[in-house]
Amino acid sequence: MIYVSSNQEINYSPKNVVEEIITNVGMILRVFKEEQPLNRDFSFDSDLIDKNITVVENKITSQLLQSFRKYEPRAILKNTEIKMIDKLNNDFEIILGIEVINVE
């Protein structure tokens, strides 16, 4: 399993297909609707930020499954974890466990 975090740096020069898939998953994970005016389906709904952590985790998992099917079908979502970094500022990190398939 490969782990991808919302806080990790994006590799804009992937050297192989696996790194390319990880880069694509990272981009799906980090873009919000307000940042993506031409393709809002690609990104997260920022209204999730003020919700209960359980609701957020379930909603994010659901959105990620749909996004992976549409934009990066070579990645399968295995698990989603939300880690609180700063409760006062509602700052959290999303950590995904993915499996890469169909790499040739």
Side-chain angles (χ1 to χ4, degrees):
M1 189 169 340
I2 300 169
Y3 292 94
V4 181
S5 166
S6 60
N7 292 342
Q8 80 185 39
E9 198 169 313
I10 298 291
N11 177 7
Y12 292 105
S13 301
K15 294 178 178 33
N16 56 46
V17 176
V18 174
E19 286 184 11
E20 176 187 328
I21 293 168
I22 293 169
T23 298
N24 294 344
V25 168
M27 292 302 292
I28 291 170
L29 189 57
R30 292 175 65 165
V31 176
F32 289 99
K33 289 187 187 261
E34 291 76 19
E35 301 170 338
Q36 192 70 9
L38 297 178
N39 193 3
R40 296 206 186 265
D41 289 340
F42 177 78
S43 48
F44 278 125
D45 185 1
S46 62
D47 290 340
L48 294 174
I49 293 171
D50 294 329
K51 304 285 189 245
N52 178 306
I53 195 75
T54 308
V55 172
V56 171
E57 193 169 86
N58 291 334
K59 196 79 159 159
I60 285 174
T61 301
S62 173
Q63 286 182 1
L64 285 169
L65 287 170
Q66 292 173 2
S67 294
F68 282 14
R69 274 189 222 113
K70 186 171 184 177
Y71 298 108
E72 189 47 87
R74 300 172 292 179
I76 297 176
L77 182 62
K78 291 295 187 176
N79 66 339
T80 306
E81 177 187 348
I82 297 179
K83 181 176 158 186
M84 289 301 293
I85 296 172
D86 183 0
K87 284 189 176 186
L88 293 175
N89 294 319
N90 203 20
D91 189 18
F92 59 89
E93 175 182 21
I94 304 169
I95 303 165
L96 304 179
I98 64 168
E99 181 180 326
V100 174
I101 59 169
N102 294 334
V103 178
E104 297 176 10

